[in-house]
Amino acid sequence: MSLYRYALQNLPRPLLIRASYVFRLFAPLLYRGNDVECPVCKRHFSKFLSYGSNQALRQNVLCPHCLSLERHRLLWIYLNQKTNFFSKQHDVLHIAPEQCFHERFKKLKNITYFTGDLESPLAEYHFDLHQIPFDDNKFDVILCNHVLEHVEDYARCMRELYRVLKPGGWAIMQVPIDYNRELTYEDKTITSPEEREKHFWQKDHLRLFGKDYPQHLEKAGFKVKSDTFVKNLKPELRQKFRLQNEEIIYLAQK
Protein backbone atom coordinates (compact mmCIF):
# COMPACT_ATOMS: atom_id res chain seq x y z
CA MET A 1 0.00 0.00 0.00
CA SER A 2 3.00 2.32 0.44
CA LEU A 3 3.49 2.20 -3.34
CA TYR A 4 -0.14 3.22 -3.79
CA ARG A 5 0.30 6.17 -1.43
CA TYR A 6 3.54 7.17 -3.17
CA ALA A 7 1.84 7.15 -6.56
CA LEU A 8 -1.04 9.31 -5.33
CA GLN A 9 1.33 11.84 -3.84
CA ASN A 10 3.96 12.03 -6.57
CA LEU A 11 2.77 10.95 -10.02
CA PRO A 12 1.65 13.72 -12.39
CA ARG A 13 -2.11 13.63 -12.90
CA PRO A 14 -2.05 12.49 -16.59
CA LEU A 15 0.31 9.63 -15.71
CA LEU A 16 -1.76 8.75 -12.66
CA ILE A 17 -4.87 8.48 -14.82
CA ARG A 18 -3.12 6.14 -17.26
CA ALA A 19 -1.67 4.00 -14.46
CA SER A 20 -5.10 3.65 -12.88
CA TYR A 21 -6.31 1.46 -15.75
CA VAL A 22 -3.80 -1.19 -14.71
CA PHE A 23 -4.56 -0.67 -11.03
CA ARG A 24 -8.28 -1.31 -11.64
CA LEU A 25 -7.54 -4.78 -13.02
CA PHE A 26 -6.38 -6.26 -9.73
CA ALA A 27 -7.52 -3.90 -6.94
CA PRO A 28 -11.14 -5.18 -6.82
CA LEU A 29 -9.83 -8.71 -6.19
CA LEU A 30 -8.10 -7.53 -3.02
CA TYR A 31 -11.26 -5.99 -1.60
CA ARG A 32 -13.89 -8.64 -2.20
CA GLY A 33 -16.76 -8.35 0.26
CA ASN A 34 -20.11 -6.77 0.92
CA ASP A 35 -19.54 -4.06 3.54
CA VAL A 36 -19.53 -1.06 1.19
CA GLU A 37 -21.23 -0.40 -2.13
CA CYS A 38 -20.54 1.98 -5.01
CA PRO A 39 -23.78 3.28 -6.55
CA VAL A 40 -21.89 4.34 -9.69
CA CYS A 41 -20.50 0.96 -10.77
CA LYS A 42 -22.90 -1.13 -8.62
CA ARG A 43 -20.02 -3.12 -7.11
CA HIS A 44 -19.65 -4.31 -3.50
CA PHE A 45 -16.40 -4.52 -1.52
CA SER A 46 -15.06 -5.26 1.94
CA LYS A 47 -13.97 -1.63 2.04
CA PHE A 48 -12.87 1.21 -0.19
CA LEU A 49 -9.28 2.48 -0.44
CA SER A 50 -7.83 5.46 1.37
CA TYR A 51 -7.37 8.71 -0.52
CA GLY A 52 -6.06 12.23 0.00
CA SER A 53 -2.94 14.10 1.00
CA ASN A 54 -1.05 13.62 4.23
CA GLN A 55 -2.85 16.69 5.52
CA ALA A 56 -6.33 15.45 4.59
CA LEU A 57 -6.09 11.65 4.32
CA ARG A 58 -9.46 9.89 4.29
CA GLN A 59 -9.90 6.19 4.94
CA ASN A 60 -12.32 3.88 3.11
CA VAL A 61 -13.38 6.29 0.34
CA LEU A 62 -11.99 5.30 -3.12
CA CYS A 63 -13.86 2.64 -5.09
CA PRO A 64 -11.29 0.11 -6.37
CA HIS A 65 -13.28 -0.53 -9.56
CA CYS A 66 -14.56 2.77 -10.98
CA LEU A 67 -12.40 5.03 -8.74
CA SER A 68 -15.33 7.04 -7.45
CA LEU A 69 -14.90 9.07 -4.27
CA GLU A 70 -17.52 10.25 -1.78
CA ARG A 71 -18.31 13.34 -3.85
CA HIS A 72 -18.75 11.32 -7.04
CA ARG A 73 -21.11 8.85 -5.42
CA LEU A 74 -23.21 11.65 -3.95
CA LEU A 75 -23.30 13.51 -7.25
CA TRP A 76 -24.33 10.36 -9.12
CA ILE A 77 -27.28 9.85 -6.78
CA TYR A 78 -28.17 13.55 -6.94
CA LEU A 79 -28.13 13.63 -10.76
CA ASN A 80 -30.40 10.57 -10.82
CA GLN A 81 -32.85 11.69 -8.17
CA LYS A 82 -32.94 15.49 -8.40
CA THR A 83 -32.23 16.42 -12.04
CA ASN A 84 -33.22 15.50 -15.60
CA PHE A 85 -29.58 14.88 -16.55
CA PHE A 86 -30.25 11.30 -17.70
CA SER A 87 -33.58 11.92 -19.42
CA LYS A 88 -33.60 15.29 -21.22
CA GLN A 89 -31.60 16.37 -24.25
CA HIS A 90 -28.62 18.43 -23.07
CA ASP A 91 -25.44 19.94 -24.41
CA VAL A 92 -23.05 19.15 -21.57
CA LEU A 93 -19.62 20.61 -20.80
CA HIS A 94 -17.66 18.45 -18.35
CA ILE A 95 -14.49 20.10 -17.08
CA ALA A 96 -11.80 17.75 -15.73
CA PRO A 97 -13.91 14.64 -16.45
CA GLU A 98 -13.68 12.03 -13.73
CA GLN A 99 -12.94 8.44 -14.73
CA CYS A 100 -15.96 7.07 -12.91
CA PHE A 101 -18.25 9.30 -15.02
CA HIS A 102 -16.45 9.71 -18.33
CA GLU A 103 -17.32 6.47 -20.14
CA ARG A 104 -20.80 6.35 -18.62
CA PHE A 105 -21.65 9.86 -19.77
CA LYS A 106 -20.20 9.24 -23.24
CA LYS A 107 -22.69 6.41 -23.72
CA LEU A 108 -25.75 8.50 -22.89
CA LYS A 109 -27.94 9.05 -25.96
CA ASN A 110 -29.67 12.11 -24.56
CA ILE A 111 -26.61 14.34 -24.23
CA THR A 112 -24.06 15.91 -26.53
CA TYR A 113 -20.96 15.53 -24.44
CA PHE A 114 -18.01 17.94 -24.46
CA THR A 115 -15.02 17.32 -22.17
CA GLY A 116 -12.36 19.89 -21.38
CA ASP A 117 -9.19 20.09 -19.30
CA LEU A 118 -5.77 21.69 -19.45
CA GLU A 119 -3.91 18.37 -19.75
CA SER A 120 -6.06 15.33 -18.88
CA PRO A 121 -5.90 12.49 -21.45
CA LEU A 122 -9.64 11.97 -20.88
CA ALA A 123 -10.52 15.41 -22.24
CA GLU A 124 -11.48 16.01 -25.85
CA TYR A 125 -10.61 19.72 -25.70
CA HIS A 126 -7.54 21.11 -23.97
CA PHE A 127 -7.74 24.71 -22.79
CA ASP A 128 -7.24 27.08 -19.89
CA LEU A 129 -10.42 27.58 -17.86
CA HIS A 130 -9.67 31.30 -17.64
CA GLN A 131 -10.50 31.54 -21.36
CA ILE A 132 -12.99 28.89 -22.48
CA PRO A 133 -12.95 28.52 -26.30
CA PHE A 134 -16.74 28.23 -26.73
CA ASP A 135 -19.43 30.73 -27.65
CA ASP A 136 -21.67 32.44 -25.15
CA ASN A 137 -24.81 30.57 -24.02
CA LYS A 138 -23.77 27.23 -25.51
CA PHE A 139 -24.31 24.60 -22.80
CA ASP A 140 -27.39 23.40 -20.94
CA VAL A 141 -25.36 21.73 -18.20
CA ILE A 142 -21.84 22.26 -16.87
CA LEU A 143 -20.02 19.93 -14.49
CA CYS A 144 -16.79 21.31 -13.05
CA ASN A 145 -15.90 19.63 -9.80
CA HIS A 146 -12.79 20.09 -7.65
CA VAL A 147 -11.18 22.41 -10.19
CA LEU A 148 -11.63 25.96 -8.88
CA GLU A 149 -9.26 25.38 -5.96
CA HIS A 150 -6.47 24.80 -8.52
CA VAL A 151 -6.85 27.82 -10.84
CA GLU A 152 -5.06 31.14 -10.54
CA ASP A 153 -8.17 33.36 -10.72
CA TYR A 154 -11.25 31.45 -9.61
CA ALA A 155 -13.58 34.46 -10.00
CA ARG A 156 -12.62 34.83 -13.65
CA CYS A 157 -13.12 31.10 -14.24
CA MET A 158 -16.55 31.28 -12.63
CA ARG A 159 -17.48 34.16 -14.94
CA GLU A 160 -16.28 32.15 -17.94
CA LEU A 161 -18.41 29.18 -16.91
CA TYR A 162 -21.37 31.51 -16.47
CA ARG A 163 -20.76 32.98 -19.93
CA VAL A 164 -20.91 29.67 -21.78
CA LEU A 165 -23.96 28.41 -19.85
CA LYS A 166 -27.33 28.92 -21.54
CA PRO A 167 -30.02 31.01 -19.83
CA GLY A 168 -32.09 28.48 -17.90
CA GLY A 169 -29.12 26.11 -17.74
CA TRP A 170 -27.53 24.75 -14.59
CA ALA A 171 -24.09 23.87 -13.32
CA ILE A 172 -22.60 21.90 -10.47
CA MET A 173 -19.16 23.13 -9.43
CA GLN A 174 -18.21 21.45 -6.18
CA VAL A 175 -14.95 22.32 -4.40
CA PRO A 176 -13.24 21.16 -1.20
CA ILE A 177 -14.77 23.21 1.62
CA ASP A 178 -13.68 23.66 5.20
CA TYR A 179 -17.09 23.88 6.86
CA ASN A 180 -15.43 25.18 10.01
CA ARG A 181 -14.22 28.24 8.11
CA GLU A 182 -16.59 31.13 7.41
CA LEU A 183 -14.47 32.79 4.71
CA THR A 184 -12.38 31.41 1.89
CA TYR A 185 -8.69 31.33 2.78
CA GLU A 186 -6.21 32.47 0.14
CA ASP A 187 -2.64 33.67 0.51
CA LYS A 188 -0.58 34.17 -2.64
CA THR A 189 2.67 34.26 -0.64
CA ILE A 190 2.22 30.55 0.10
CA THR A 191 3.92 28.97 -2.90
CA SER A 192 5.78 25.83 -1.85
CA PRO A 193 3.98 22.49 -2.31
CA GLU A 194 4.61 21.60 1.32
CA GLU A 195 3.10 24.82 2.65
CA ARG A 196 0.16 24.63 0.25
CA GLU A 197 -0.64 21.15 1.51
CA LYS A 198 -0.44 22.37 5.08
CA HIS A 199 -2.67 25.40 4.51
CA PHE A 200 -4.93 24.31 1.63
CA TRP A 201 -5.03 20.51 2.13
CA GLN A 202 -3.21 19.58 -1.10
CA LYS A 203 0.07 20.49 -2.79
CA ASP A 204 -1.56 21.87 -5.94
CA HIS A 205 -4.36 23.81 -4.21
CA LEU A 206 -4.13 27.59 -4.29
CA ARG A 207 -6.87 28.25 -1.72
CA LEU A 208 -9.24 26.64 0.73
CA PHE A 209 -12.89 27.60 0.28
CA GLY A 210 -15.07 28.32 3.27
CA LYS A 211 -18.81 28.50 3.85
CA ASP A 212 -18.91 31.67 1.73
CA TYR A 213 -18.35 29.60 -1.44
CA PRO A 214 -21.91 30.05 -2.82
CA GLN A 215 -21.52 33.81 -2.45
CA HIS A 216 -18.56 33.70 -4.84
CA LEU A 217 -20.71 31.87 -7.38
CA GLU A 218 -23.40 34.50 -6.97
CA LYS A 219 -20.89 37.28 -7.62
CA ALA A 220 -20.16 35.60 -10.97
CA GLY A 221 -23.86 35.86 -11.86
CA PHE A 222 -25.25 32.49 -10.81
CA LYS A 223 -28.39 31.91 -8.79
CA VAL A 224 -27.35 29.30 -6.24
CA LYS A 225 -29.42 26.71 -4.44
CA SER A 226 -27.64 25.08 -1.51
CA ASP A 227 -28.95 21.54 -1.19
CA THR A 228 -28.24 19.36 1.85
CA PHE A 229 -29.40 16.42 -0.25
CA VAL A 230 -27.18 13.90 1.51
CA LYS A 231 -29.23 14.28 4.69
CA ASN A 232 -32.30 13.01 2.82
CA LEU A 233 -30.64 9.62 2.42
CA LYS A 234 -31.03 6.97 5.08
CA PRO A 235 -28.08 6.81 7.52
CA GLU A 236 -27.41 3.17 6.60
CA LEU A 237 -27.11 4.12 2.92
CA ARG A 238 -24.78 6.99 3.72
CA GLN A 239 -22.57 4.56 5.59
CA LYS A 240 -22.71 1.85 2.93
CA PHE A 241 -21.89 4.34 0.16
CA ARG A 242 -19.33 6.10 2.40
CA LEU A 243 -20.71 9.59 1.82
CA GLN A 244 -19.70 12.78 3.63
CA ASN A 245 -22.60 13.77 5.86
CA GLU A 246 -21.72 17.46 5.78
CA GLU A 247 -21.38 17.92 2.01
CA ILE A 248 -23.67 20.50 0.44
CA ILE A 249 -24.44 20.40 -3.28
CA TYR A 250 -24.52 23.84 -4.87
CA LEU A 251 -26.83 23.97 -7.88
CA ALA A 252 -25.86 27.08 -9.85
CA GLN A 253 -28.36 28.37 -12.38
CA LYS A 254 -28.36 31.07 -15.06
Side-chain angles (χ1 to χ4, degrees):
M1 196 52 65
S2 60
L3 181 60
Y4 164 76
R5 294 284 304 138
Y6 177 85
L8 285 181
Q9 292 294 313
N10 295 282
L11 289 183
R13 183 164 160 259
L15 182 57
L16 193 61
I17 290 173
R18 292 186 172 94
S20 69
Y21 289 100
V22 177
F23 175 79
R24 290 167 59 187
L25 295 177
F26 65 85
L29 301 176
L30 303 177
Y31 292 89
R32 288 177 291 187
N34 200 42
D35 293 326
V36 297
E37 177 183 349
C38 175
V40 182
C41 66
K42 313 298 184 186
R43 303 290 185 100
H44 298 78
F45 304 97
S46 59
K47 65 177 181 177
F48 293 134
L49 286 81
S50 62
Y51 191 84
S53 66
N54 293 325
Q55 188 69 23
L57 181 64
R58 311 186 306 282
Q59 300 292 335
N60 197 8
V61 294
L62 179 70
C63 174
H65 181 258
C66 72
L67 307 182
S68 72
L69 290 165
E70 316 99 294
R71 63 180 183 263
H72 305 129
R73 295 188 287 275
L74 181 63
L75 179 57
W76 180 264
I77 300 168
Y78 182 86
L79 290 175
N80 273 278
Q81 295 190 12
K82 297 289 292 284
T83 77
N84 56 13
F85 182 83
F86 294 99
S87 59
K88 186 178 179 181
Q89 291 293 323
H90 294 299
D91 290 334
V92 175
L93 175 61
H94 193 173
I95 300 296
E98 299 95 336
Q99 287 171 273
C100 60
F101 294 147
H102 182 247
E103 290 300 322
R104 289 170 174 83
F105 289 173
K106 280 177 65 176
K107 293 177 181 177
L108 294 177
K109 301 299 184 182
N110 65 298
I111 72 172
T112 304
Y113 188 49
F114 297 79
T115 54
D117 190 274
L118 189 62
E119 57 183 13
S120 171
L122 299 180
E124 178 184 8
Y125 297 93
H126 293 94
F127 56 83
D128 189 323
L129 197 62
H130 295 80
Q131 191 170 1
I132 300 174
F134 292 113
D135 294 336
D136 297 357
N137 308 318
K138 181 173 177 59
F139 298 102
D140 301 290
V141 176
I142 294 175
L143 301 175
C144 177
N145 294 308
H146 284 235
V147 174
L148 294 170
E149 67 274 17
H150 296 276
V151 300
E152 185 66 31
D153 187 341
Y154 69 89
R156 178 177 174 180
C157 293
M158 287 177 178
R159 292 194 297 269
E160 275 291 277
L161 291 164
Y162 181 85
R163 178 183 66 80
V164 299
L165 186 66
K166 290 181 182 178
W170 53 271
I172 296 179
M173 298 170 284
Q174 300 294 98
V175 294
I177 291 180
D178 183 350
Y179 291 103
N180 295 314
R181 184 181 294 278
E182 292 295 328
L183 301 178
T184 294
Y185 172 40
E186 188 172 28
D187 185 343
K188 294 187 182 298
T189 66
I190 299 173
T191 58
S192 74
E194 294 76 18
E195 285 299 303
R196 284 177 172 171
E197 180 176 330
K198 177 181 176 181
H199 288 267
F200 308 137
W201 293 358
Q202 197 166 298
K203 293 178 181 179
D204 55 353
H205 287 184
L206 303 186
R207 63 195 56 85
L208 178 58
F209 286 101
K211 290 190 290 187
D212 63 339
Y213 176 65
Q215 298 170 26
H216 294 288
L217 292 172
E218 289 169 348
K219 287 179 182 178
F222 293 100
K223 297 178 181 178
V224 181
K225 178 183 178 181
S226 300
D227 196 332
T228 55
F229 170 72
V230 67
K231 297 188 184 300
N232 297 335
L233 303 175
K234 294 179 179 180
E236 56 267 29
L237 278 182
R238 285 184 245 162
Q239 178 61 29
K240 197 169 187 66
F241 296 157
R242 296 292 297 163
L243 304 178
Q244 289 182 341
N245 292 324
E246 70 274 15
E247 182 162 7
I248 299 170
I249 290 182
Y250 300 100
L251 184 68
Q253 298 170 297
K254 183 174 180 178

